[in-house]
């Protein structure tokens, strides 16, 4: 079956590119992807599969391919939301929705998986198990679309789940993998510091929220430098300090917003505990009140070591002209809501390189000039197809 599948994918490379370009021209933001969802649903009409739409109350779809023989059930996931970015690329299929752009390659993820799914549908009698194609919305905005897909219950029977991400970390043909905790978890916090306003000439009659907030900004950096094990990864970023006022008026309140990244759940919990402790200390030290909103969103992404080793061996032994190199990648710093699946099912999330040809320093995902080498779409389809065939021994 593997040789048939690879040949079918090669013959449909142009169709993958066509789908990707259509999606790129018509991007939609997270939780607003109704037209994209309908487009994907229309693709599967008339095919011998079960399609569940509006999964989890959102725009997601799950396409169930029931094989000709009983066996394990796996999931293949691709996301399809875009970002609130004004596109600056010079391509003929530029976004027709100003201020919205597929700057994270989700258009490519969806395009490869639609064609791979269609080929698997045609070969399903040879599959000893069930494959669930997970077209997921809203990866970019917490709480993310993965939670709704999981809570639908339609994935409860999964034995394993696989996903990929297109990244410009090498030329098309290079596939990357890593094991264990590979992406950090993420959290958001907002702190409102309430003091007492007054005139700059009479600071003793006021209680300066800016001074208290500034101490908080400085103090939270010690969480990383003085509370974390030096071998653990953690980041606290203050991205917003809203204290604008008049030069000679003491502000009565400020709002501070921040971002937390941590590679393990234990580290993420420790950072939250320490940030809350510092907030309480600021109240006592400056006689202000602090209202803290702390929202953990995406957990750290954990690649099951045994499953990842299997994926790496399958790809290294693929002997495929389009998969030219398989590398172990370092841990990466973005967050991904695929991590929610990986908390529930043994999972492997790996990487398809897509640096445009002739480009030495590519723009990375989320940049307004981000683009991909579209040859990577076939690499993605083949790599995941190879994993499916190797998993089932077909």
């Amino acid at each position: 079956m593997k040789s048939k599948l690879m040949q079918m994918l090669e013959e449909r490379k142009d169709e993958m590119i066509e789908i990707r370009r259509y999606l790129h021209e018509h991007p939609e933001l997270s939780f607003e992807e109704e037209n994209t969802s309908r487009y994907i649903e229309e693709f599967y009409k008339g095919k011998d599969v079960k399609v569940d739409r509006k999964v989890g109350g959102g725009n997601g779809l799950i396409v169930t391919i029931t094989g000709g023989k009983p066996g394990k059930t796996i999931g293949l996931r691709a996301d399809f939301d875009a970002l609130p970015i004004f596109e600056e690329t010079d391509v003929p299929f530029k976004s027709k929705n100003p201020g919205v752009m597929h700057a994270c390659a989700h258009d490519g993820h969806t395009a490869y998986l639609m064609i791979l799914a269609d080929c698997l549908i045609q070969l399903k009698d040879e599959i000893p198990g069930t494959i669930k194609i997970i077209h997921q919305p809203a990866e970019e905005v917490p709480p993310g679309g993965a939670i709704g897909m999981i809570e639908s219950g339609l994935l409860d029977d999964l034995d394993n789940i696989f996903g990929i991400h297109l990244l410009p970390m090498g030329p098309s043909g290079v596939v990357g993998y890593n094991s264990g905790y590979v992406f950090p978890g993420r959290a958001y916090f907002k702190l409102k510091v309430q003091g007492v306003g007054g005139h700059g000439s009479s600071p003793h009659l006021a209680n300066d929220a800016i001074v208290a907030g500034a101490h908080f900004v400085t103090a939270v950096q010690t969480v990383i430098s003085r509370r974390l094990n030096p071998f653990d990864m953690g980041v606290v970023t203050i991205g917003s300090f809203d204290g604008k006022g008049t030069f000679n008026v003491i502000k009565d309140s400020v709002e501070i917003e921040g971002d937390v990244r941590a590679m393990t759940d234990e580290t993420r919990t420790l950072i939250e505990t320490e940030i809350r402790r510092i907030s309480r200390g600021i109240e006592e030290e400056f006689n202000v009140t602090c209202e803290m909103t702390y929202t953990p969103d995406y957990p750290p992404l954990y690649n099951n070591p045994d499953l990842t080793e299997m994926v790496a061996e399958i790809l290294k032994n693929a002997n495929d002209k389009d998969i030219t190199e398989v590398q172990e990648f370092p841990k990466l710093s973005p967050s991904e809501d695929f991590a929610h699946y990986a908390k529930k099912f043994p999972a492997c999330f790996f990487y398809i390189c897509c640096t445009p040809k002739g480009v030495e320093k590519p723009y990375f995902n989320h940049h307004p000039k981000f683009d991909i080498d579209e040859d990577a779409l076939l690499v993605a389809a083949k790599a995941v197809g190879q994993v499916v065939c190797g998993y089932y021994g077909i």
Side-chain angles (χ1 to χ4, degrees):
M1 172 179 155
K2 182 168 73 173
S3 60
K4 284 190 286 187
L5 177 61
M6 296 303 124
Q7 182 178 347
M8 291 169 72
L9 292 172
E10 289 177 13
E11 292 171 353
R12 298 183 69 178
K13 176 182 176 181
D14 289 346
E15 193 176 348
M16 292 182 211
I17 294 173
E18 181 183 349
I19 292 172
R20 182 256 167 169
R21 292 185 176 188
Y22 173 84
L23 294 172
H24 194 89
E25 279 190 296
H26 302 89
E28 294 180 294
L29 295 174
S30 304
F31 300 105
E32 300 177 12
E33 321 92 331
E34 293 184 6
N35 292 328
T36 306
S37 183
R38 280 195 294 268
Y39 175 82
I40 297 170
E41 181 186 1
E42 188 68 27
F43 177 82
Y44 291 101
K45 279 190 176 176
K47 303 185 191 301
D48 188 17
V49 287
K50 177 178 181 248
V51 179
D52 290 286
R53 58 187 295 275
K54 295 293 182 184
V55 176
N59 294 312
L61 302 98
I62 295 176
V63 179
T64 301
I65 305 172
T66 303
K69 305 170 188 175
K72 289 187 175 182
T73 300
I74 63 172
L76 307 178
R77 174 270 204 173
D79 36 17
F80 60 81
D81 55 329
L83 288 156
I85 291 174
F86 282 91
E87 182 166 3
E88 296 179 9
T89 65
D90 185 20
V91 295
F93 48 91
K94 193 171 180 177
S95 171
K96 293 181 177 178
N97 189 357
V100 184
M101 176 189 176
H102 270 297
C104 199
H106 296 183
D107 50 349
H109 299 171
T110 300
Y112 102 78
L113 188 57
M114 287 169 67
I115 297 302
L116 174 60
D118 194 23
C119 294
L120 290 171
I121 291 166
Q122 295 176 53
L123 299 171
K124 68 177 189 168
D125 288 344
E126 301 181 45
I127 299 173
T130 300
I131 300 174
K132 296 195 173 185
I133 305 298
I134 304 164
H135 288 294
Q136 183 210 301
E139 189 278 328
E140 296 289 356
V141 176
I147 291 177
M149 305 298 280
I150 294 168
E151 290 180 348
S152 72
L154 296 171
L155 302 176
D156 286 351
D157 56 347
L158 290 188
D159 291 291
N160 297 111
I161 187 168
F162 302 93
I164 63 98
H165 209 300
L166 290 160
L167 297 173
M169 295 181 64
S172 175
V174 177
V175 179
Y177 70 93
N178 48 17
S179 184
Y181 284 107
V182 297
F183 277 15
R186 185 174 76 188
Y188 159 84
F189 66 85
K190 177 189 283 188
L191 179 70
K192 181 177 181 181
V193 180
Q194 182 66 56
V196 177
H199 197 278
S201 65
S202 304
H204 61 295
L205 300 178
N207 200 351
D208 196 335
I210 285 183
V211 172
H215 275 259
F216 173 84
V217 171
T218 302
V220 292
Q221 298 307 315
T222 65
V223 174
I224 305 302
S225 65
R226 288 297 177 268
R227 289 293 176 261
L228 245 61
N229 185 317
F231 294 100
D232 292 339
M233 176 271 183
V235 177
V236 177
T237 298
I238 303 297
S240 174
F241 191 116
D242 184 5
K244 184 172 176 56
T246 303
F247 75 97
N248 64 343
V249 174
I250 294 172
K251 284 281 289 183
D252 69 335
S253 69
V254 297
E255 287 191 353
I256 301 166
E257 293 179 280
D259 176 76
V260 173
R261 309 279 168 148
M263 193 57 83
T264 67
D265 284 322
E266 292 77 13
T267 300
R268 191 166 64 150
T269 298
L270 173 63
I271 292 174
E272 178 181 356
T273 298
E274 292 298 317
I275 287 177
R276 290 185 180 278
R277 182 183 62 80
I278 290 170
S279 172
R280 293 193 298 271
I282 293 293
E283 287 185 311
E284 184 67 25
E285 183 177 1
F286 293 95
N287 192 27
V288 296
T289 59
C290 291
E291 181 183 337
M292 170 72 74
T293 302
Y294 197 102
T295 309
D297 43 59
Y298 299 170
L301 198 163
Y302 183 78
N303 270 347
N304 179 274
D306 292 337
L307 197 63
T308 303
E309 183 180 357
M310 182 200 78
V311 167
E313 287 305 308
I314 289 171
L315 295 175
K316 287 176 181 177
N317 295 315
N319 192 28
D320 189 296
K321 62 183 176 60
D322 292 300
I323 301 173
T324 57
E325 190 173 353
V326 180
Q327 300 178 358
E328 184 171 2
F329 275 20
K331 298 181 188 302
L332 302 175
S333 57
S335 298
E336 238 287 348
D337 86 340
F338 186 87
H340 288 296
Y341 301 107
K343 284 182 74 72
K344 187 173 178 65
F345 316 105
C348 180
F349 191 75
F350 56 105
Y351 322 109
I352 308 297
C353 291
C354 64
T355 300
K357 289 180 176 61
V359 176
E360 291 186 11
K361 295 182 178 180
Y363 296 102
F364 208 74
N365 304 59
H366 289 219
H367 192 281
K369 293 184 179 180
F370 171 79
D371 196 11
I372 66 170
D373 179 352
E374 291 177 319
D375 286 348
L377 301 178
L378 178 60
V379 178
K382 281 189 159 187
V384 177
Q386 290 276 359
V387 169
V388 170
C389 292
Y391 183 92
Y392 285 118
I394 50 179

